Amino acid sequence: MKQFPNIIGAEQREDWITAGKIAAEVREWSKQLIKPGTKLLDIANAIEAKIREKGAVPGFPVNLSLNETAAHYTPILNDTLILSDHIIKVDIGVSYNGAIGDTA
């Protein structure tokens, strides 16, 4: 296997790894939020708060796409959409010291 040259230092590499770990942990944690009767805005706000609690910031607004919408639906202020029998896709981005973790 071809080895790529190191273009970032060890500390920066650790930031990228940490961003990915936080994104994965929050994505897994978010499963408990996904239940009928829950507003998408409440889910998104809880996910973003959890990212901050872990010492990072959202890399982009949480995307909660339903059913046939493949990607990039983000609830906005006063969004009233409530889960019922939807299929939901959670897409989380995390920024940690400028490094990005993305669960798309």
Side-chain angles (χ1 to χ4, degrees):
M1 176 164 65
K2 184 176 180 177
Q3 184 71 27
F4 290 96
N6 289 329
I7 57 174
I8 60 173
E11 186 175 315
Q12 288 176 307
R13 190 170 23 258
E14 286 303 313
D15 288 345
W16 286 88
I17 291 168
T18 299
K21 285 181 179 178
I22 292 171
E25 289 170 8
V26 173
R27 184 199 59 228
E28 290 304 308
W29 172 86
S30 74
K31 291 177 183 180
Q32 69 182 334
L33 304 172
I34 311 299
K35 49 189 159 199
T38 308
K39 286 184 180 181
L40 290 187
L41 184 58
D42 292 342
I43 295 168
N45 286 338
I47 290 170
E48 290 186 0
K50 189 66 154 179
I51 291 169
R52 288 183 179 91
E53 179 184 305
K54 292 191 163 284
V57 295
F60 51 82
V62 171
N63 293 178
L64 302 171
S65 304
L66 300 179
N67 302 326
E68 69 278 352
T69 303
H72 302 130
Y73 179 80
T74 300
I76 59 171
L77 186 62
N78 300 320
D79 192 310
T80 59
L81 189 56
I82 297 175
L83 284 178
S84 57
D85 59 348
H86 300 97
I87 296 170
I88 186 169
K89 178 182 145 288
V90 177
D91 182 1
I92 300 169
V94 170
S95 177
Y96 181 81
N97 290 337
I100 301 292
D102 186 343
T103 66

